Amino acid sequence: MKIIAKYSAILEPVTNILQEDNRTTNANEIFDLLFTDAKSIADDFEITITCPRITGKQSHRNNYSYESPKDYYRVERFEKSNSVAFSLQHLHPALFIKMKKQEYTDSITNIYNLYKIENLLAESESWYSLWQKKVSQSMDIIDLLEHSKIFFPGIKIALEIFLSLPATSCAAERSFSTLRRVKTWLRSTTGEDRLNGLCMLSVHRERVDIRKGKLIGQLITRFAREQPRRLQFLFNNE
């Protein structure tokens, strides 16, 4: 206990400083201080802080779109449109019942301005009232789709958009890796539709293996119905 008390006393000042210095909410102020210190050090060495060139082709004019070096180095990790897209989660009752009505309305308005979903603003009011007295903590987005299928088509579209948002960049990276494996030198002239199909089969190979028999039957049936052929397929019912 004495050891715990000793180190707790040592760490207490550090904890207080970290709590007082809220680096997440005061990021802009902290950046201003850091940039001012960096500029003063650069001035001491007679160095001018400038924006680096983005490309080397333009040689007679600047090719960056920032007003000052300070704006260039103040990097925004996420665009504002991304935050609006992820505010689609506010359509989940477990989240919006904890929000103020005005916050919920503002969030839905931003979603409407981005996606232009028909009747979303009107349906969101009824959607908000519907879930005020219902238990919805354990419901998934898939469950909400069933509730919105008939009377809330705009909400259903918004929920489907939210389900399509990637949580990580793994899907995009997987597609590039698959493309490198599929599009070899022997397939350099493969058309776009065929290449997309081959990549989808490679990415979702587990699903293909589960339904292989049914997929092969559907493929042969479609092949037989594409155009009249001299060879009469047994499975062509037409």
Side-chain angles (χ1 to χ4, degrees):
M1 294 297 294
K2 293 182 179 180
I3 296 175
I4 296 176
K6 176 182 177 181
Y7 286 100
S8 297
I10 295 174
L11 293 174
E12 184 176 0
V14 179
T15 304
N16 294 334
I17 293 174
L18 292 176
Q19 290 177 349
E20 293 175 0
D21 184 15
N22 193 342
R23 297 181 180 273
T24 57
T25 58
N26 301 326
N28 292 329
E29 291 79 359
I30 294 173
F31 174 80
D32 292 338
L33 295 175
L34 293 175
F35 188 84
T36 302
D37 294 340
K39 189 175 184 304
S40 63
I41 295 173
D43 293 339
D44 294 339
F45 289 94
E46 298 181 354
I47 299 175
T48 303
I49 299 178
T50 58
C51 298
R53 298 190 61 79
I54 299 176
T55 61
K57 293 183 179 180
Q58 297 177 357
S59 58
H60 299 289
R61 61 186 177 89
N62 295 329
N63 57 3
Y64 47 81
S65 59
Y66 300 94
E67 296 180 357
S68 64
K70 186 176 182 180
D71 294 332
Y72 175 83
Y73 290 105
R74 191 196 303 271
V75 179
E76 292 289 344
R77 182 61 178 170
F78 298 102
E79 296 182 358
K80 294 182 179 180
S81 59
N82 292 339
S83 61
V84 175
F86 283 101
S87 64
L88 287 166
Q89 62 182 326
H90 295 156
L91 290 171
H92 197 293
L95 295 179
F96 68 66
I97 60 175
K98 301 177 182 178
M99 302 170 60
K100 295 181 180 179
K101 183 63 178 298
Q102 187 61 40
E103 294 177 355
Y104 171 78
T105 303
D106 294 341
S107 179
I108 300 301
T109 303
N110 293 332
I111 295 172
Y112 174 78
N113 293 333
L114 179 62
Y115 295 106
K116 303 298 182 183
I117 301 175
E118 186 177 1
N119 296 328
L120 179 63
L121 297 178
E123 292 179 12
S124 64
E125 296 294 330
S126 302
W127 185 257
Y128 184 86
S129 302
L130 175 66
W131 294 100
Q132 289 300 313
K133 297 181 180 180
K134 289 188 177 182
V135 179
S136 58
Q137 296 292 334
S138 60
M139 295 185 64
D140 295 329
I141 299 295
I142 301 296
D143 300 327
L144 294 177
L145 287 176
E146 294 297 325
H147 288 81
S148 61
K149 183 182 299 184
I150 300 176
F151 298 105
F152 301 95
I155 297 293
K156 181 175 180 294
I157 294 174
L159 293 174
E160 290 174 345
I161 294 174
F162 179 66
L163 286 174
S164 67
L165 296 177
T168 64
S169 61
C170 295
E173 295 172 0
R174 188 182 299 115
S175 63
F176 287 119
S177 301
T178 302
L179 182 62
R180 183 176 180 83
R181 292 193 301 268
V182 172
K183 191 174 182 181
T184 61
W185 292 107
L186 298 177
R187 294 174 177 159
S188 59
T189 59
T190 303
E192 183 177 355
D193 292 338
R194 179 178 175 83
L195 186 61
N196 290 337
L198 292 174
C199 289
M200 292 296 291
L201 289 174
S202 179
V203 171
H204 302 288
R205 63 176 66 89
E206 295 180 356
R207 295 185 179 182
V208 174
D209 292 338
I210 295 174
R211 305 178 57 192
K212 182 180 294 184
K214 185 177 180 180
L215 289 175
I216 292 176
Q218 293 176 350
L219 178 62
I220 297 176
T221 302
R222 180 177 177 180
F223 178 76
R225 293 176 179 176
E226 284 292 330
Q227 56 184 350
R229 303 176 186 276
R230 292 184 178 181
L231 180 61
Q232 183 66 32
F233 292 97
L234 297 177
F235 36 77
N236 188 359
N237 297 324
E238 294 183 357

